[in-house]
Short mmCIF file of all heavy atoms in Angstrom, two decimals:
data_model
loop_
_atom_site.label_atom_id
_atom_site.label_comp_id
_atom_site.label_asym_id
_atom_site.label_seq_id
_atom_site.Cartn_x
_atom_site.Cartn_y
_atom_site.Cartn_z
N ASN A 308 103.28 100.57 115.62
CA ASN A 308 103.10 101.85 116.33
C ASN A 308 104.11 102.00 117.40
O ASN A 308 103.74 102.47 118.51
CB ASN A 308 101.69 101.88 116.96
CG ASN A 308 100.72 101.59 115.86
OD1 ASN A 308 100.71 101.94 114.65
ND2 ASN A 308 99.51 101.06 116.50
N SER A 309 105.37 101.65 117.12
CA SER A 309 106.37 101.79 118.25
C SER A 309 107.58 102.47 117.69
O SER A 309 107.76 102.81 116.55
CB SER A 309 106.77 100.36 118.62
OG SER A 309 105.62 99.64 119.14
N SER A 310 108.52 102.76 118.72
CA SER A 310 109.91 103.41 118.30
C SER A 310 111.03 102.78 119.12
O SER A 310 110.85 102.15 120.22
CB SER A 310 109.76 104.96 118.82
OG SER A 310 109.56 104.96 120.15
N PHE A 311 112.15 102.76 118.47
CA PHE A 311 113.41 102.16 118.97
C PHE A 311 114.55 103.17 118.89
O PHE A 311 114.71 103.93 117.88
CB PHE A 311 113.73 100.87 118.13
CG PHE A 311 112.73 99.91 118.20
CD1 PHE A 311 111.62 99.79 117.39
CD2 PHE A 311 113.07 98.64 119.10
CE1 PHE A 311 110.79 98.78 117.41
CE2 PHE A 311 112.19 97.71 119.03
CZ PHE A 311 110.95 97.64 118.39
N ARG A 312 115.41 103.19 120.00
CA ARG A 312 116.64 104.09 119.90
C ARG A 312 117.51 103.48 120.84
O ARG A 312 117.25 102.86 121.88
CB ARG A 312 116.31 105.46 120.32
CG ARG A 312 115.73 105.72 121.64
CD ARG A 312 115.17 107.16 121.91
NE ARG A 312 114.57 107.26 123.23
CZ ARG A 312 113.38 106.99 123.43
NH1 ARG A 312 112.52 106.48 122.51
NH2 ARG A 312 112.92 107.16 124.68
N GLY A 313 118.87 103.62 120.61
CA GLY A 313 119.95 103.46 121.57
C GLY A 313 120.30 101.98 121.79
O GLY A 313 120.96 101.73 122.80
N PHE A 314 119.97 101.21 120.83
CA PHE A 314 120.48 99.76 120.92
C PHE A 314 121.76 99.54 120.12
O PHE A 314 121.72 99.42 118.94
CB PHE A 314 119.41 98.71 120.53
CG PHE A 314 118.33 98.72 121.37
CD1 PHE A 314 117.22 99.54 121.29
CD2 PHE A 314 118.19 97.81 122.46
CE1 PHE A 314 116.11 99.56 122.12
CE2 PHE A 314 117.16 97.83 123.40
CZ PHE A 314 116.05 98.69 123.22
N ARG A 315 122.87 99.67 120.87
CA ARG A 315 124.09 99.76 120.20
C ARG A 315 125.21 98.77 120.77
O ARG A 315 126.45 98.90 120.61
CB ARG A 315 124.74 101.25 120.41
CG ARG A 315 123.80 102.34 119.94
CD ARG A 315 124.32 103.68 120.03
NE ARG A 315 125.49 103.87 119.23
CZ ARG A 315 126.08 105.15 119.08
NH1 ARG A 315 125.76 106.11 119.72
NH2 ARG A 315 127.08 105.13 118.18
N GLY A 316 124.62 97.73 121.39
CA GLY A 316 125.48 96.66 121.81
C GLY A 316 126.11 95.78 120.73
O GLY A 316 125.61 95.82 119.49
N THR A 317 127.08 95.05 121.04
CA THR A 317 127.71 94.24 119.97
C THR A 317 126.58 93.18 119.44
O THR A 317 125.96 92.54 120.07
CB THR A 317 128.84 93.34 120.57
OG1 THR A 317 129.67 94.14 121.16
CG2 THR A 317 129.40 92.39 119.63
N ASN A 318 126.71 93.13 118.01
CA ASN A 318 125.68 92.29 117.22
C ASN A 318 124.22 92.48 117.68
O ASN A 318 123.39 91.78 117.46
CB ASN A 318 125.98 90.83 117.55
CG ASN A 318 127.36 90.37 116.99
OD1 ASN A 318 127.77 90.86 115.97
ND2 ASN A 318 128.11 89.56 117.81
N GLY A 319 123.94 93.73 118.03
CA GLY A 319 122.56 94.10 118.32
C GLY A 319 121.99 94.94 117.29
O GLY A 319 122.38 95.09 116.13
N GLY A 320 120.82 95.59 117.69
CA GLY A 320 120.08 96.41 116.84
C GLY A 320 118.56 96.62 117.45
O GLY A 320 118.39 96.23 118.54
N ALA A 321 117.77 97.22 116.65
CA ALA A 321 116.48 97.52 117.13
C ALA A 321 115.57 96.24 117.15
O ALA A 321 115.01 95.89 118.13
CB ALA A 321 115.76 98.53 116.23
N ILE A 322 115.53 95.61 115.92
CA ILE A 322 114.75 94.30 115.95
C ILE A 322 115.62 93.14 115.21
O ILE A 322 116.31 93.35 114.25
CB ILE A 322 113.61 94.54 115.02
CG1 ILE A 322 112.70 95.61 115.57
CG2 ILE A 322 112.76 93.15 114.77
CD1 ILE A 322 111.61 96.07 114.58
N GLY A 323 115.79 92.11 116.02
CA GLY A 323 116.45 90.92 115.56
C GLY A 323 115.62 89.78 115.30
O GLY A 323 114.90 89.20 116.26
N PHE A 324 115.36 89.43 114.03
CA PHE A 324 114.46 88.32 113.62
C PHE A 324 115.37 87.19 113.24
O PHE A 324 115.89 87.11 112.13
CB PHE A 324 113.62 88.82 112.43
CG PHE A 324 112.60 87.73 111.89
CD1 PHE A 324 111.80 87.07 112.83
CD2 PHE A 324 112.35 87.49 110.69
CE1 PHE A 324 110.87 86.10 112.48
CE2 PHE A 324 111.41 86.59 110.15
CZ PHE A 324 110.60 85.83 111.17
N GLN A 325 115.59 86.24 114.15
CA GLN A 325 116.49 85.17 114.16
C GLN A 325 115.84 83.85 114.49
O GLN A 325 116.19 83.23 115.51
CB GLN A 325 117.55 85.53 115.11
CG GLN A 325 118.40 86.84 114.75
CD GLN A 325 119.33 87.20 115.90
OE1 GLN A 325 119.07 87.15 117.07
NE2 GLN A 325 120.44 87.81 115.49
N PRO A 326 114.85 83.47 113.71
CA PRO A 326 114.01 82.21 114.15
C PRO A 326 114.79 80.98 113.93
O PRO A 326 115.53 80.79 113.02
CB PRO A 326 112.83 82.29 113.16
CG PRO A 326 113.28 83.10 111.93
CD PRO A 326 114.24 84.19 112.53
N ALA A 327 114.55 80.15 114.81
CA ALA A 327 115.16 78.73 114.82
C ALA A 327 114.21 77.68 114.28
O ALA A 327 114.69 76.61 114.04
CB ALA A 327 115.55 78.43 116.33
N SER A 328 113.04 78.09 113.84
CA SER A 328 112.13 77.09 113.27
C SER A 328 111.51 77.58 112.09
O SER A 328 111.04 78.87 112.10
CB SER A 328 111.02 76.58 114.33
OG SER A 328 111.58 76.07 115.47
N THR A 329 111.26 76.87 111.06
CA THR A 329 110.69 77.18 109.78
C THR A 329 109.28 77.65 110.01
O THR A 329 108.42 77.17 110.85
CB THR A 329 110.78 76.01 108.78
OG1 THR A 329 112.05 75.88 108.40
CG2 THR A 329 109.91 76.28 107.56
N GLY A 330 108.86 78.67 109.25
CA GLY A 330 107.45 79.06 109.21
C GLY A 330 107.15 80.39 110.01
O GLY A 330 106.14 80.93 109.86
N ALA A 331 108.27 81.02 110.64
CA ALA A 331 108.11 82.20 111.35
C ALA A 331 107.88 83.33 110.41
O ALA A 331 108.54 83.40 109.38
CB ALA A 331 109.24 82.46 112.24
N SER A 332 107.01 84.34 110.78
CA SER A 332 106.92 85.51 109.99
C SER A 332 106.86 86.76 110.93
O SER A 332 106.49 86.74 112.05
CB SER A 332 105.46 85.59 109.25
OG SER A 332 104.42 85.71 110.17
N LEU A 333 107.51 87.91 110.38
CA LEU A 333 107.50 89.18 111.14
C LEU A 333 106.82 90.23 110.27
O LEU A 333 107.04 90.34 109.08
CB LEU A 333 108.92 89.46 111.27
CG LEU A 333 109.28 90.89 111.74
CD1 LEU A 333 108.74 91.00 113.20
CD2 LEU A 333 110.71 91.14 111.76
N THR A 334 105.92 91.02 110.98
CA THR A 334 105.27 92.10 110.28
C THR A 334 105.66 93.36 111.22
O THR A 334 105.55 93.43 112.40
CB THR A 334 103.79 92.02 110.23
OG1 THR A 334 103.48 90.90 109.48
CG2 THR A 334 103.29 93.20 109.69
N VAL A 335 106.21 94.38 110.55
CA VAL A 335 106.60 95.68 111.21
C VAL A 335 105.84 96.83 110.54
O VAL A 335 106.09 97.08 109.27
CB VAL A 335 108.12 95.90 111.19
CG1 VAL A 335 108.39 97.29 112.02
CG2 VAL A 335 108.83 94.68 111.82
N ASP A 336 105.19 97.50 111.22
CA ASP A 336 104.27 98.59 110.62
C ASP A 336 104.12 99.85 111.40
O ASP A 336 104.05 99.79 112.65
CB ASP A 336 102.80 98.02 110.41
CG ASP A 336 101.90 99.01 109.77
OD1 ASP A 336 102.20 99.44 108.65
OD2 ASP A 336 100.85 99.43 110.30
N ASN A 337 104.41 100.98 110.86
CA ASN A 337 104.42 102.31 111.50
C ASN A 337 105.41 102.34 112.77
O ASN A 337 104.97 102.47 113.91
CB ASN A 337 103.00 102.58 111.95
CG ASN A 337 102.92 104.12 112.62
OD1 ASN A 337 103.75 104.88 112.20
ND2 ASN A 337 102.01 104.26 113.39
#
Side-chain angles (χ1 to χ4, degrees):
N308 307 332
S309 298
S310 62
F311 296 80
R312 62 187 175 279
F314 289 89
R315 306 182 66 174
T317 301
N318 296 319
I322 300 171
F324 184 43
Q325 303 166 319
S328 300
T329 287
S332 71
L333 169 67
T334 300
V335 181
D336 183 59
N337 187 27

